[in-house]
């Protein structure tokens, strides 16, 4: 079977490389010509450990190639994965215009049976909508199946997650469609769950929303722990030993960001609002998340008196380590808040470069950690990059004007930082 992947962003590129590595012939199509040029030259348009090596390998092996011509590519492929973006609209709903464009072009171009697989995260009911868009675009009736196969990879470990998924969810109306998709994944050992398309779509939203609930629960509890002089990190460890709870997603911090959690939670809330079935817990999850960074910055401000004229170092820009993705990164809200309140901000990230137009007299980026902290009245860690865990904080302290360190990810050891003279402020650690 020949595989076509439509939309070669994080998910599409990872999907294309997974199937090339599993031995299938794959073509990746994107409407962004620059992206396709880069990929053809073996250059990843984003940072993701491990993917670049695999990209070069499969361009050379001939298993993977790229194109910008979707109509033409449709004709030569049996299975088509839709991996285009589904960003948030103003009202929180998912913008399906890219899915619709892809479905319409596919419908208008197909000349034979096709299996369409939706990997993009889409609201419940979208599979039915895609079937309709394709049917309407066809000039004559040609059979096809549309299967929902949500993606669960995490940026920063995309390759590992693609090859070692916790599960593969296949939402299909037909047994044949589900079986065909299973055959593509045949070498991956993990549980397979075949459901209706709508259920598969809901599983994706429910999973991301549940993880967001865990994060906001711990962040809200952290605020109480600060009042009670209790360590949220110790509470998380104590909770995590309980296998019913699990250890992951219990670390308090400045809140969640990225291209998925904020948009997916809002999309599910939008669906619930449309149906008059409010999800109150998720409404609170969003409210807690949107105020968490302010809570943390206010703890810094209390110690500084005011942000006006203060030099603040912001360490980490990406929404999490291992990626250069800044979509909805809490660091951006933190930088805006600091600048709005009169601070002079110096940022650092081991991978991400702040877009030049965003840099001003009050906002500069440094490549070196020591330079970033030089003369700073305070620093805040926004991304748990290993570079910050491994830094020589004793020497960095000497560069700062005031040794105030706000650990927005609760990643450093308080005692060690205090021992070298820092005023260490964690989150939910009293
Ligand atoms: P992305 O923005 O990195 O990539 C989307 C790509 O689709 C872009 O390169 C864009 O140019 C292309 N595109 C848009 N319309 C097109 C069209 N009509 N024809 C061809 N190409 C087109 O997005 P992403 O992060 O890869 O996410 C894709 C989907 O997967 C989203 O629905 C997202 O919610 C979901 N998802 C993302 C992740 C993640 O970690 N990034 C994880 C799981 C699921």
């Amino acid at each position: 079977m020949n595989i076509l992947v439509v939309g070669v962003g994080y998910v599409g590129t990872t999907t294309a490389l997974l199937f090339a590595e599993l031995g299938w012939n794959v073509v990746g199509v994107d409407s962004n010509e620059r992206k396709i040029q880069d990929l053809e030259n073996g250059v990843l348009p984003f940072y993701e450990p491990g993917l670049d090596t695999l990209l070069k390998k499969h361009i050379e092996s001939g298993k993977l190639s790229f194109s910008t011509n979707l109509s033409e590519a449709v004709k030569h492929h049996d299975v088509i994965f839709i991996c285009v973006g589904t960003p948030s609209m103003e009202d929180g709903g998912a913008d399906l215009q890219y899915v619709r464009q892809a479905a319409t072009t596919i419908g208008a171009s197909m000349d034979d049976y096709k299996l369409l697989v939706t990997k993009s995260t889409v609201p419940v009911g979208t599979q039915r909508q895609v079937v309709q868009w394709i049917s309407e675009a066809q000039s004559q009736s040609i059979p096809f199946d549309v299967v929902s196969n949500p993606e669960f990879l995490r940026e920063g470990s995309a390759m590992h997650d693609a090859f070692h998924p916790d599960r593969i969810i296949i939402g299909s109306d037909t047994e044949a469609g589900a079986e065909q998709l299973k055959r593509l994944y045949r070498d991956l050992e993990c549980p397979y769950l075949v459901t209706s398309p709508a259920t598969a779509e809901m599983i994706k939203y429910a999973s991301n929303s549940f993880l967001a609930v865990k994060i906001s629960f711990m962040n809200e509890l952290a605020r109480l722990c600060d009042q009670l002089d209790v360590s949220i990190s110790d509470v998380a460890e104590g909770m995590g030993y309980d296998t019913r709870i699990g250890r992951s997603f219990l670390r308090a911090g400045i809140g969640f960001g990225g291209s998925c959690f904020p948009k997916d939670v809002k999309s599910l809330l939008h669906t619930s609002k449309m149906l008059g079935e409010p999800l109150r817990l998720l409404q609170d999850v969003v409210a807690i998340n949107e105020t968490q960074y302010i809570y943390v910055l206010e703890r810094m401000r209390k110690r500084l008196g005011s942000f006006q004229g203060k030099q603040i170092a912001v360490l980490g820009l990406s929404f999490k380590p291992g990626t250069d993705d800044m979509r909805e990164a809490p660091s951006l809200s933190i930088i805006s808040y600091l600048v709005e309140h009169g601070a002079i901000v110096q940022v650092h990230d081991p991978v991400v470069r702040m877009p030049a137009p965003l840099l001003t007299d009050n906002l500069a980026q440094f490549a070196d950690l020591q330079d970033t902290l030089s003369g700073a009245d305070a620093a805040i860690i926004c991304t748990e990059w290993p570079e910050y865990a491994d830094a020589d904080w004793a020497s960095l302290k000497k560069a700062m004007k005031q040794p105030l360190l706000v650990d927005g990810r609760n990643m450093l050891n308080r005692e060690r930082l205090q021992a070298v003279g820092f005023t260490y402020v964690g989150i939910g650690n009293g």
Side-chain angles (χ1 to χ4, degrees):
M1 276 185 283
N2 292 327
I3 297 176
L4 179 64
V5 175
V6 185
V8 275
Y10 288 84
V11 169
T13 303
T14 308
T15 302
L17 287 168
L18 166 75
F19 287 118
E21 184 74 2
L22 293 177
W24 304 103
N25 289 318
V26 186
V27 170
V29 167
D30 204 288
S31 47
N32 183 331
E33 289 183 15
R34 173 84 200 273
K35 203 174 257 192
I36 290 298
Q37 265 172 20
D38 282 347
L39 287 163
E40 280 175 334
N41 292 326
V43 178
L44 267 188
F46 49 86
Y47 175 83
E48 180 65 43
L51 279 195
D52 44 354
T53 319
L54 217 50
L55 176 64
K56 289 191 186 87
K57 176 178 165 187
H58 286 298
I59 290 174
E60 272 170 33
S61 73
K63 289 244 157 270
L64 177 60
S65 58
F66 297 96
S67 166
T68 51
N69 191 339
L70 177 57
S71 311
E72 187 53 32
V74 165
K75 298 189 170 62
H76 308 290
H77 293 84
D78 319 298
V79 183
I80 305 172
F81 281 85
I82 298 182
C83 302
V84 299
T86 48
S88 276
M89 295 193 292
E90 276 285 294
D91 62 1
D95 184 351
L96 295 177
Q97 64 166 309
Y98 305 107
V99 176
R100 184 178 188 156
Q101 277 164 14
T104 304
T105 308
I106 292 164
S109 319
M110 60 200 275
D111 51 4
D112 205 351
Y113 170 84
K114 307 286 171 198
L115 174 67
L116 264 99
V117 186
T118 310
K119 259 201 179 297
S120 301
T121 303
V122 291
V124 174
T126 302
Q127 181 265 359
R128 235 181 309 134
Q129 184 78 77
V130 171
V131 169
Q132 195 183 332
W133 287 329
I134 293 175
S135 305
E136 285 168 0
Q138 287 184 334
S139 53
Q140 53 174 309
S141 178
I142 299 165
F144 63 92
D145 283 304
V146 180
V147 173
S148 169
N149 175 218
E151 178 56 57
F152 297 95
L153 68 79
R154 296 161 299 174
E155 289 180 18
S157 55
M159 216 57 249
H160 173 272
D161 295 348
F163 283 95
H164 308 280
D166 292 330
R167 77 297 213 188
I168 290 176
I169 305 293
I170 298 176
S172 179
D173 286 327
T174 64
E175 218 180 299
E179 282 310 311
Q180 206 179 338
L181 189 53
K182 268 191 193 171
R183 227 175 303 138
L184 293 182
Y185 284 115
R186 65 190 170 201
D187 292 327
L188 299 187
E189 276 179 34
C190 69
Y192 285 77
L193 180 64
V194 178
T195 67
S196 72
T199 303
E201 290 163 344
M202 181 55 102
I203 288 171
K204 173 64 190 177
Y205 279 108
S207 301
N208 274 2
S209 297
F210 185 72
L211 294 174
V213 169
K214 280 182 103 176
I215 296 170
S216 278
F217 175 79
M218 294 309 283
N219 283 342
E220 191 175 45
L221 201 63
R223 301 185 198 185
L224 185 63
C225 285
D226 277 329
Q227 299 281 333
L228 296 170
D229 205 12
V230 165
S231 161
I232 190 80
S233 304
D234 291 347
V235 171
E237 190 180 349
M239 290 166 67
Y241 286 117
D242 186 329
T243 50
R244 295 170 303 174
I245 296 172
R247 303 174 74 93
S248 58
F249 285 80
L250 295 185
R251 193 192 285 179
I254 48 177
F256 57 80
S259 68
C260 292
F261 285 9
K263 124 178 135 57
D264 294 349
V265 170
K266 283 182 187 156
S267 173
L268 188 55
L269 278 171
H270 179 261
T271 302
S272 78
K273 195 173 159 198
M274 291 291 110
L275 295 174
E277 201 61 63
L279 295 174
R280 290 186 193 85
L281 180 58
L282 276 191
Q283 288 168 7
D284 283 345
V285 163
V286 173
I288 294 163
N289 198 55
E290 287 179 350
T291 52
Q292 184 68 2
Y293 78 91
I294 298 172
Y295 170 77
V296 175
L297 285 177
E298 283 304 305
R299 279 166 64 77
M300 179 192 271
R301 195 191 52 78
K302 237 190 265 163
R303 285 158 177 90
L304 291 174
S306 143
F307 286 130
Q308 191 60 43
K310 298 286 184 334
Q311 194 173 309
I312 313 290
V314 172
L315 309 184
L317 292 171
S318 56
F319 84 94
K320 66 178 198 172
T323 177
D324 60 357
D325 201 339
M326 286 209 291
R327 288 179 281 187
E328 303 267 339
S331 66
L332 296 177
S333 306
I334 285 177
I335 291 167
S336 297
Y337 190 91
L338 288 169
V339 170
E340 268 167 32
H341 288 78
I344 299 146
V345 178
Q346 309 201 145
V347 302
H348 175 272
D349 191 284
V351 171
V352 184
R353 294 288 152 265
M354 200 79 178
L358 295 183
L359 299 173
T360 62
D361 288 349
N362 290 339
L363 176 58
Q365 178 159 15
F366 292 85
D368 182 72
L369 200 47
Q370 184 98 16
D371 294 341
T372 315
L373 289 163
S374 178
D377 292 284
I380 177 165
I381 297 179
C382 292
T383 315
E384 59 269 50
W385 283 106
E387 282 81 350
Y388 304 145
D390 301 340
D392 178 356
W393 286 101
S395 131
L396 291 173
K397 183 197 151 248
K398 291 186 195 130
M400 294 178 72
K401 192 155 135 205
Q402 298 188 58
L404 174 58
L405 180 63
V406 176
D407 185 352
R409 295 297 183 182
N410 275 356
M411 63 178 285
L412 299 179
N413 181 296
R414 168 192 287 269
E415 283 73 33
R416 217 172 300 151
L417 269 291
Q418 284 175 338
V420 295
F422 271 100
T423 301
Y424 174 90
V425 180
I427 297 164
N429 286 318

